[in-house]
């Protein structure tokens, strides 16, 4: 979103930003956004908005309809307004270099608490403490064996731990050596959007980056991709995404930020099938069926069957992506998630949707 100043209402201007996270509770909202590789957290509690010129009703009007895009836009203008001048001081203009993965996931962070003063919304700046506000940075600890897993589990959650023996044999790339592939004047850079397509510094090599987010099944996916890497040594034709690198936090080779996948220059099946012929859709479905059958023979379950998790590559072939698990209930029942039966159920529904168009 862009922030622009209007002479009549004094709304913000000059910088763009993207929402990173919003947590809505019964009487409070925590709103986090990124702008120029800086992270801003705004804490808003109803109890701080009362008194003379109370803003409590206005707050609840926003909160109760925050899922409406127009209401969300108005809320962002309202909430960011009190810190506008401070943000302008902190964000660099113009952008002088592309964002690195390290800059994006380890940004300077600023925290503000909003309050009412005589009917005017104002802000106090607070010190950022990750123990209070949390650390959303993707961090996956590499352990040597099961014994070290047990000893580490008190400090690092199990879902952000991966055994070294389960990792693929691929290069380890420091996060500071990977930058956003899009140009400095791109929408992605201007809006400080999450980095997906990255480029290795001083090269033209581009990759798809997936962070080690515990919510997206990083451990499951990296272990499956490691198995697929070994399988591809004797079965090169299997049509799946391929891992080509691991990204570590600078100076910490046993702490991963995420992984690099081979970039597939194409579109998702969800988009491709809209204008595809019946023959093309039937061919893609046959390829998907064949790939899943082969995966099952190797003891691998795809998991989240859906059109968005199939890419149509440059050669026109259907390539399976996203082995992080979970399921989309439109295709796989919760009780069958991450099972061969769930894959088969999902394929049946996918075929019905793909060939009924």
């Amino acid at each position: 979103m862009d922030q622009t100043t209007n002479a009549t209402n004094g709304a913000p201007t000059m910088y763009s930003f993207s929402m990173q996270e919003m947590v809505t509770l019964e009487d409070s909202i925590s709103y986090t956004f990124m702008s120029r590789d800086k992270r801003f957290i705004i804490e808003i509690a109803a109890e701080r908005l009362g008194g003379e010129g109370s803003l409590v009703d206005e707050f609840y009007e926003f909160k109760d309809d925050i899922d409406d895009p127009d209401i969300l836009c108005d809320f962002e203008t309202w909430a960011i307004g009190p810190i506008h001048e401070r943000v302008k001081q902190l964000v660099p203009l113009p952008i002088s270099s592309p964002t690195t993965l390290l800059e994006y996931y380890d940004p300077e962070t600023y925290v503000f608490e909003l309050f009412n003063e005589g009917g005017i919304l104002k802000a106090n700046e607070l010190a950022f403490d990750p123990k209070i506000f949390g650390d959303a940075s993707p961090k996956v600890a590499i352990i040597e064996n099961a014994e070290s897993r047990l000893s580490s589990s008190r400090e690092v959650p199990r879902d952000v731990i991966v055994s070294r023996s389960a990792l693929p044999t691929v290069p380890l790339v420091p996060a500071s050596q990977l930058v956003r592939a899009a140009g400095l004047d791109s929408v992605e850079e201007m809006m400080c959007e999450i980095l997906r397509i990255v480029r290795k510094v001083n090269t033209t090599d581009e990759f798809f980056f997936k962070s080690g987010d515990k919510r997206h099944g990083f451990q499951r996916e990296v272990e499956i991709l490691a198995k697929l890497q070994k399988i591809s040594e004797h079965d090169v034709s299997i049509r799946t995404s391929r891992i080509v690198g691991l990204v570590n936090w600078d100076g910490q080779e046993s702490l991963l930020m995420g992984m690099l996948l081979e970039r597939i220059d194409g579109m998702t099946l969800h988009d491709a099938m809209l204008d595809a012929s019946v023959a093309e859709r039937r061919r893609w479905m046959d390829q998907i069926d064949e790939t899943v059958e082969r995966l099952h023979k190797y003891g691998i379950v795809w998991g989240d069957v859906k059109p968005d998790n199939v890419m149509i590559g440059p050669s026109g072939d259907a390539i399976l992506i996203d082995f992080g698990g979970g399921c989309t209930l439109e295709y796989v029942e919760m009780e069958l998630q991450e099972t061969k039966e769930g894959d088969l159920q999902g394929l049946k529904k996918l075929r019905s949707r793909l060939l009924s168009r």
Side-chain angles (χ1 to χ4, degrees):
M1 178 177 178
D2 288 315
Q3 290 289 35
T4 57
T5 292
N6 183 298
T8 61
N9 62 20
T13 188
M14 293 182 63
Y15 52 87
S16 299
F17 68 91
S18 62
M19 181 176 73
Q20 188 177 53
E21 184 179 36
M22 182 166 60
V23 178
T24 305
L25 302 178
E26 184 176 353
D27 298 307
S28 66
I29 295 177
S30 179
Y31 179 87
T32 303
F33 69 93
M34 294 283 292
S35 182
R36 301 291 193 272
D37 307 325
K38 303 288 194 300
R39 179 167 55 195
F40 299 88
I41 301 173
I42 302 176
E43 298 289 324
I44 314 168
E47 64 181 10
R48 298 279 286 146
L49 302 178
E52 182 183 352
S54 175
L55 301 173
V56 172
D57 289 344
E58 190 172 2
F59 166 77
Y60 282 116
E61 287 175 4
F62 283 128
K63 189 189 79 68
D64 292 343
D65 294 307
I66 202 71
D67 292 332
D68 183 314
D70 292 332
I71 298 298
L72 174 60
C73 184
D74 290 342
F75 165 77
E76 288 174 327
T77 300
W78 180 77
I80 296 175
I83 67 170
H84 167 56
E85 292 300 327
R86 180 63 172 139
V87 175
K88 283 200 326 184
Q89 292 175 355
L90 293 169
V91 296
L93 291 170
I95 304 170
S96 59
S97 60
T99 301
T100 69
L101 281 175
L102 185 62
E103 289 170 335
Y104 185 85
Y105 283 107
D106 189 27
E108 295 177 21
T109 301
Y110 302 87
V111 182
F112 301 87
E113 179 184 52
L114 302 191
F115 65 96
N116 169 45
E117 187 175 278
I120 299 174
L121 190 63
K122 295 193 173 183
N124 283 326
E125 185 167 351
L126 309 176
F128 172 66
D129 184 345
K131 294 180 180 179
I132 297 175
F133 298 102
D135 181 3
S137 302
K139 294 179 180 177
V140 181
I142 302 175
I143 60 169
E144 302 300 330
N145 50 50
E147 287 72 23
S148 61
R149 181 187 184 99
L150 290 173
S151 63
S152 300
S153 62
R154 296 186 183 88
E155 300 176 3
V156 183
R158 286 178 178 268
D159 52 5
V160 286
I161 290 176
V162 63
S163 171
R164 189 176 298 279
S165 62
L167 293 174
T169 306
V170 292
L172 192 63
V173 185
S176 64
Q177 297 304 301
L178 293 159
V179 300
R180 192 190 303 276
L184 293 181
D185 58 351
S186 67
V187 172
E188 295 94 330
E189 189 68 62
M190 293 295 293
M191 298 293 289
C192 201
E193 294 181 355
I194 187 171
L195 278 76
R196 299 190 185 280
I197 306 300
V198 298
R199 174 177 55 81
K200 195 170 182 181
V201 172
N202 298 325
T203 76
T204 58
D205 300 334
E206 295 186 0
F207 313 96
F208 184 84
F209 172 73
K210 292 195 77 170
S211 70
D213 190 329
K214 61 185 179 182
R215 296 170 294 181
H216 299 155
F218 178 86
Q219 181 182 17
R220 181 183 193 271
E221 182 158 28
V222 76
E223 291 179 356
I224 286 177
L225 291 174
K227 293 177 183 177
L228 288 171
Q229 182 190 53
K230 293 180 180 179
I231 291 168
S232 67
E233 294 174 0
H234 58 82
D235 189 354
V236 296
S237 63
I238 193 164
R239 301 184 188 91
T240 65
S241 53
R242 299 179 187 275
I243 190 167
V244 293
L246 294 169
V247 181
N248 68 288
W249 288 83
D250 285 48
Q252 302 183 74
E253 293 190 356
S254 292
L255 191 63
L256 298 179
M257 180 182 287
M259 62 179 126
L260 298 175
L261 303 177
E262 186 177 67
R263 183 181 179 183
I264 301 171
D265 189 11
M267 64 177 68
T268 66
L269 176 62
H270 178 275
D271 293 333
M273 69 184 189
L274 298 177
D275 298 317
S277 66
V278 174
E280 287 175 314
R281 286 183 268 129
R282 182 174 291 112
R283 174 172 173 266
W284 293 334
M285 192 65 234
D286 289 344
Q287 289 181 335
I288 295 167
D289 281 338
E290 177 194 2
T291 300
V292 172
E293 181 180 1
R294 292 165 72 183
L295 289 174
H296 287 183
K297 287 182 179 179
Y298 290 120
I300 296 173
V301 172
W302 181 15
D304 194 7
V305 180
K306 60 181 178 181
D308 288 314
N309 285 341
V310 179
M311 291 291 294
I312 306 303
S315 63
D317 291 326
I319 304 168
L320 272 58
I321 64 172
D322 195 344
F323 292 88
C327 67
T328 299
L329 297 180
E330 181 182 352
Y331 292 92
V332 180
E333 296 173 6
M334 184 70 72
E335 296 75 13
L336 296 179
Q337 70 170 324
E338 299 178 23
T339 66
K340 291 182 180 181
E341 293 78 6
D343 276 359
L344 298 178
Q345 181 185 70
L347 290 178
K348 183 178 180 180
K349 293 183 179 181
L350 182 58
R351 177 175 287 276
S352 175
R353 178 177 177 185
L354 197 57
L355 300 184
S356 65
R357 300 186 65 83

